[in-house]
Amino acid sequence: MLKVNKIILGDGLLGSELVTQTGWDCISRKKDGIDFTNFSSYRNLIYDYDVVVNCIAYTNTYDTEREKHWTTNYKGVAELVQICNILNKKLIHISTDYLYSNSESNASEEDVPVHCRNWYGYTKLLADGYVQLEANNYLVIRCTH
């Protein structure tokens, strides 16, 4: 049987729960000192894994400062996609259905426009699109909060 090595990026609420449920390895800013926006700070840490599960995001939906959301939720994901492509890793990108907030009940990807009205939802939406356009091997999971 083929063993698939998995690594979780991030140890916030979601990342911590996934580690608890699965026992998979985890790397994070707090534990390992990685800078998600600088791939050289964690590239070597994911080298031996086949699957990278991204649970890193700046989730303060009330923060109106664009740069914090942009840097983590979009630019960090774009770097991660490139790393996974270069290293031939599968990327599981955890996203959110929050980007459909204030839209129709039970909204889906076909229900546009997106009405989240904040930088969090906008940058998560852009990152999802980047993953879908650029990643060689990926799964986007859009969870509900």
Side-chain angles (χ1 to χ4, degrees):
M1 177 179 230
L2 177 67
K3 182 175 178 180
V4 177
N5 294 322
K6 296 159 280 300
I7 184 79
I8 296 170
L9 298 182
D11 61 358
L13 292 173
L14 178 61
S16 296
E17 185 61 25
L18 283 176
V19 169
T20 299
Q21 296 290 326
T22 63
W24 298 343
D25 293 340
C26 175
I27 59 174
S28 75
R29 176 181 47 85
K30 289 182 271 188
K31 183 172 72 68
D32 302 290
I34 69 166
D35 176 357
F36 186 58
T37 63
N38 178 1
F39 73 90
S40 63
S41 75
Y42 66 93
R43 179 180 177 159
N44 293 337
L45 297 175
I46 67 170
Y47 190 79
D48 293 329
Y49 295 91
D50 305 304
V51 176
V52 177
V53 181
N54 178 32
C55 296
I56 295 176
Y58 181 65
T59 59
N60 184 347
T61 59
Y62 297 105
D63 191 341
T64 59
E65 186 178 323
R66 174 190 173 272
E67 195 59 32
K68 289 179 183 179
H69 294 284
W70 184 257
T71 301
T72 302
N73 298 344
Y74 180 73
K75 289 168 67 176
V77 171
E79 292 281 343
L80 180 59
V81 166
Q82 296 309 314
I83 294 167
C84 289
N85 286 346
I86 290 167
L87 298 177
N88 198 30
K89 310 291 181 199
K90 178 167 190 155
L91 172 61
I92 298 177
H93 175 65
I94 308 294
S95 188
T96 176
D97 70 348
Y98 185 83
L99 47 102
Y100 297 109
S101 65
N102 300 318
S103 61
E104 296 179 25
S105 297
N106 302 312
S108 73
E109 290 179 4
E110 288 75 37
D111 296 323
V112 290
V114 177
H115 294 288
C116 54
R117 294 188 181 111
N118 61 43
W119 286 115
Y120 169 69
Y122 180 67
T123 54
K124 291 297 283 182
L125 177 66
L126 290 175
D128 291 3
Y130 191 89
V131 169
Q132 292 172 315
L133 286 170
E134 297 294 331
N136 293 337
N137 187 1
Y138 72 92
L139 172 65
V140 174
I141 299 174
R142 201 167 283 135
C143 303
T144 189
H145 177 44

